[in-house]
Amino acid sequence: KGIVFYPSPVMWDIQLLQKPHHMLRELSKEGYLVLFLTPDPLRDGVKKVRQIDDNLYLIGDIGMLYGLKDEDLVLWITWTPSIVCKEIFHKSTVVYDWMDELCVFYLYSDAMVSDHNRLVKSADIMIASSGSLYEKVLPVRGDVLLVSSGVSCEDFVPDDDIVPEDMKRFIEQKKPVIGFYGSIEGWRMDYSLIKYVCEHCSDMNFVFIGPSYDGSVTQLSSLRNLFLLGPKKYADLKYYLKLFDTALIPYK
């Protein structure tokens, strides 16, 4: 159906899959040739090209794609500095997928704000991932599309009666298990609320799964009924979720 090029700010092989990973995989299933430019070829195991799936490839060096510079490919942008790729692929159709507030992105700066404003005005297709982002950009960009985050339900159907080793103790204790999985960061997590709930629900076990890149998760280490299991493979999350009596999204 066409070529989709994604200059990514994050690797493909990361512990916490993000919206672009899922979107690009689905586009490849729909018949698009998807080229994912990794920011770290060594850690992603890419020398030149690495095939992930039918129609989905990791690229280790943007120079390999110069032969496509005159093609009308789709340039998918989620990180504003990637706007520079438009100078190479000058005939591309630009999709700007605004996923979050700019201040949470890597290398946030005034330049990023400037690039964002340029993309809002010039992108062929503008996507906002939440109602609040949509409302912010609507006065400037009346054709913005609201495409909120979703889930691939088929990824969360346990095909075996598997109980992860680090969950067995909670099953044996026969206490309600309250769970969360995702990135555990100070800018997004309501730590005061989490502490309050854990202290007032001492008859329950709270199980948190995911990485903490800013190290702020140490604020929760004193809670006796909260257990930090670290990051897990995406494919294994369904076995943990199945054992949660209640799931939380304790964001600010």
Side-chain angles (χ1 to χ4, degrees):
K1 289 185 177 180
I3 301 172
V4 177
F5 171 54
Y6 179 61
S8 179
V10 297
M11 297 184 302
W12 180 266
D13 290 329
I14 59 175
Q15 297 167 328
L16 192 69
L17 294 188
Q18 299 181 8
K19 175 182 172 182
H21 295 83
H22 296 288
M23 293 279 283
L24 295 170
R25 189 182 288 278
E26 291 303 317
L27 284 168
S28 71
K29 290 178 181 178
E30 290 294 318
Y32 290 90
L33 173 62
V34 176
L35 306 174
F36 182 103
L37 180 67
T38 173
D40 195 331
L42 183 62
R43 292 173 63 191
D44 253 339
V46 185
K47 289 186 177 179
K48 294 183 178 179
V49 178
R50 173 187 163 197
Q51 184 170 4
I52 297 296
D53 214 334
D54 292 342
N55 302 327
L56 178 56
Y57 295 85
L58 299 192
I59 306 298
D61 180 0
I62 194 172
M64 297 182 60
L65 304 181
Y66 281 178
L68 301 176
K69 60 184 175 62
D70 294 322
E71 295 287 330
D72 183 19
L73 52 76
V74 175
L75 174 58
W76 199 289
I77 294 177
T78 59
W79 188 51
T80 59
S82 299
I83 193 174
V84 69
C85 294
K86 180 65 176 177
E87 298 176 11
I88 301 172
F89 306 100
H90 57 96
K91 292 185 179 181
S92 60
T93 298
V94 176
V95 176
Y96 179 35
D97 187 355
W98 188 20
M99 297 200 306
D100 217 327
E101 295 287 357
L102 295 178
C103 60
V104 307
F105 283 95
Y106 177 61
L107 295 181
Y108 172 68
S109 65
D110 291 340
M112 182 176 284
V113 174
S114 175
D115 288 340
H116 165 79
N117 292 333
R118 287 173 59 199
L119 283 164
V120 168
K121 294 177 181 178
S122 66
D124 298 284
I125 297 174
M126 174 79 196
I127 296 173
S129 65
S130 71
S132 60
L133 299 181
Y134 175 83
E135 292 297 333
K136 284 184 178 181
V137 77
L138 187 60
V140 181
R141 187 73 191 246
D143 62 346
V144 58
L145 302 173
L146 174 59
V147 183
S148 55
S149 297
V151 62
S152 298
C153 295
E154 62 272 19
D155 292 349
F156 288 87
V157 179
D159 48 12
D160 293 300
D161 191 20
I162 293 175
V163 176
E165 282 296 323
D166 51 2
M167 288 295 292
K168 289 181 178 178
R169 55 176 165 163
F170 305 118
I171 305 304
E172 294 169 356
Q173 292 176 14
K174 299 186 184 300
K175 293 182 179 180
V177 176
I178 316 301
F180 165 83
Y181 54 73
S183 182
I184 306 173
E185 313 295 343
W187 61 266
R188 75 192 303 180
M189 302 291 279
D190 192 335
Y191 286 135
S192 60
L193 174 63
I194 294 168
K195 291 176 182 178
Y196 179 89
V197 172
C198 288
E199 290 167 355
H200 286 75
C201 300
S202 56
D203 57 333
M204 303 178 186
N205 284 326
F206 292 78
V207 175
F208 279 31
I209 293 169
S212 179
Y213 298 110
D214 66 359
S216 63
V217 73
T218 55
Q219 297 183 40
L220 305 176
S221 58
S222 62
L223 297 169
R224 298 181 63 182
N225 59 334
L226 187 143
F227 302 89
L228 303 169
L229 303 189
K232 304 296 177 184
K233 293 180 179 178
Y234 175 75
D236 294 336
L237 290 178
K238 56 190 173 186
Y239 300 113
Y240 289 87
L241 179 61
K242 183 180 70 170
L243 300 174
F244 292 172
D245 293 290
T246 298
L248 300 177
I249 307 180
Y251 294 164
K252 292 178 181 177

